[in-house]
Amino acid sequence: MALRAEVLSLFRSLLRTAAKFSDYNIREYAKRRVIDGFLDNRGLTDPSSIAAAFADGKSQLEVAKRQAVVYSLYAPRIKSVMEVESP
C-alpha cells in the first residue's frame, strides 16, 4: 500500500512534469488532469484500489515524462496569447 508521503511525492512529480510542457494549453491541461485525478481518488479506502490508483499514477508519470520530451522537440515557435506579456 502506498504511504501518504509516496502519494504526495507522486503528486508533486506529476505537477513538476506538467510544468515542463512548452505549450501553454497542454501544460494547463496536464496540471488540471493531475489535480482532478487526485481529487477523484481522495475518498479511496480500499487498500487494493489505493494501490491500483497509485500504480496508475506512476505509469501516467512515465507517459507524461516521455510526452514532455517529445513536445519539447516540436515546440511551437510562437507563444500562446496567454503567455505573451503585455506592455
Side-chain angles (χ1 to χ4, degrees):
M1 185 166 126
L3 298 176
R4 180 177 170 84
E6 291 173 323
V7 172
L8 290 175
S9 175
L10 176 63
F11 180 72
R12 286 190 303 270
S13 295
L14 282 164
L15 286 179
R16 270 190 237 109
T17 303
K20 291 180 182 176
F21 284 99
S22 55
D23 187 311
Y24 174 82
N25 292 323
I26 296 169
R27 185 172 55 241
E28 291 300 311
Y29 170 76
K31 191 166 66 170
R32 242 187 357 260
R33 184 162 170 179
V34 168
I35 293 169
D36 290 345
F38 274 80
L39 287 176
D40 289 344
N41 291 326
R42 181 171 50 181
L44 294 179
T45 56
D46 181 37
S48 63
S49 61
I50 292 171
F54 185 75
D56 183 48
K58 292 290 266 190
S59 67
Q60 290 296 321
L61 176 62
E62 296 305 315
V63 169
K65 284 181 179 179
R66 287 193 304 271
Q67 285 301 107
V69 170
V70 170
Y71 274 95
S72 70
L73 294 174
Y74 302 103
R77 304 204 190 290
I78 300 172
K79 288 190 172 191
S80 170
V81 173
M82 300 300 290
E83 295 177 305
V84 175
E85 295 179 21
S86 59

